[in-house]
Amino acid sequence: MAIVLGKPEVDGLSKLVGVLRGWQDDGAPMQLHPGDLGWFWRFGAEATAAAVRAWSRDGQILAIGLLDGPELLRLTIAPDAQRDEELAHQLVEDLTEPERGVLMKGKVYVEAPMGALVQDLLFEDGWNTDEPWTPLRRDLTEPVKDPGVRIKVIGPEQAHVRTGVQRASFDRSTFTDERWHAMAAGTPYADARCLVAYDDQGNAVAAVTVWSAGPGKPGLLEPMGVHRNHRGHGYGKAITVAAAASLQELESSSAIVCTPSSNAGAVATYKAAGFQPLPEIRDRRRDA
């Protein structure tokens, strides 16, 4: 059977989220997580569906990609299809030719599981290696200590607090209350939580969103930020520990996160919160 490239309708997103959940495993390389779709959902269900691509054969989904912008495809592959030659060659064709409706012309990037055959074929096709990222994981089989600050789970009435901390943490953030509600209405958010940390004066100082992929599977932190006016006091570590505790309550097997290796501060924060760095990963980059 031929491999088919498709773009889902909005009502097909739940199925793809379910497939992604099934692929998550602590022994797998860092890969696209249901929470990545959940975070993208802040732009709305229609935009999320338009950004997703799926490759299937004989009705079975083999690969799922999220266009995190027109120049970056975040791609993951079914565990038993990582070295599937037919799939890998089809992926390279679809990623290379703009008329296939995946990536645009010019400089583009592909994030794919390390060890997948598509990585090798893209390299052979002239794609370069981009800057390194550091995945980190914290095992959740042991109890998680108290983070040492007041933590609140954010609901619809406090969405403005969560979005306010996000915008104060990232200079280019466009996270609004409307986008929080869009995100919270998405299928992945049924297994997610937004947390905010407060200092002794009652100021909201840090925030994180955690995404479960189901009991016994790794959960994701995406995103985590500390208010620019409250940095240097350990709130990044505290909210990250709280995130791990929240995922443990959701029965996740581990907590995972990924950050650019050049962001030494972020790497240090996650390590201080009990996360162990894993081997670096790199996107494939086509320069022309």
Side-chain angles (χ1 to χ4, degrees), residues 95-115:
L95 301 179
T96 302
E97 301 177 16
E99 59 270 21
R100 300 290 181 96
V102 183
L103 287 167
M104 64 181 194
K105 294 180 179 179
K107 191 172 187 177
V108 292
Y109 305 82
V110 172
E111 172 192 298
M114 302 303 292

Side-chain angles (χ1 to χ4, degrees), residues 138 140 144-145 147 151 193-196 207-211 219-224 236-250 252 254-257 270 273 275:
R138 174 170 174 158
L140 296 179
V144 178
K145 294 182 180 180
I151 302 292
R193 292 178 183 172
C194 280
L195 309 177
V196 169
V208 68
T209 303
V210 297
W211 306 87
L220 177 71
L221 282 66
E222 175 61 27
M224 185 279 284
K237 173 186 174 182
I239 195 69
T240 302
V241 171
S246 184
L247 285 171
Q248 189 174 60
E249 291 174 5
L250 291 167
S252 297
S254 64
I256 57 174
V257 69
Y270 293 126
F275 284 65

Side-chain angles (χ1 to χ4, degrees), residues 150 152-169 175-177 180 194-198 202-208 227:
R150 183 164 68 93
K152 187 170 183 177
V153 178
I154 296 299
E157 298 79 10
Q158 298 85 35
H160 64 284
V161 179
R162 173 69 183 90
T163 61
V165 175
Q166 185 75 15
R167 295 192 301 273
S169 301
F175 198 30
T176 61
D177 295 1
W180 186 93
C194 280
L195 309 177
V196 169
Y198 293 84
N203 299 306
V205 295
V208 68
H227 194 296

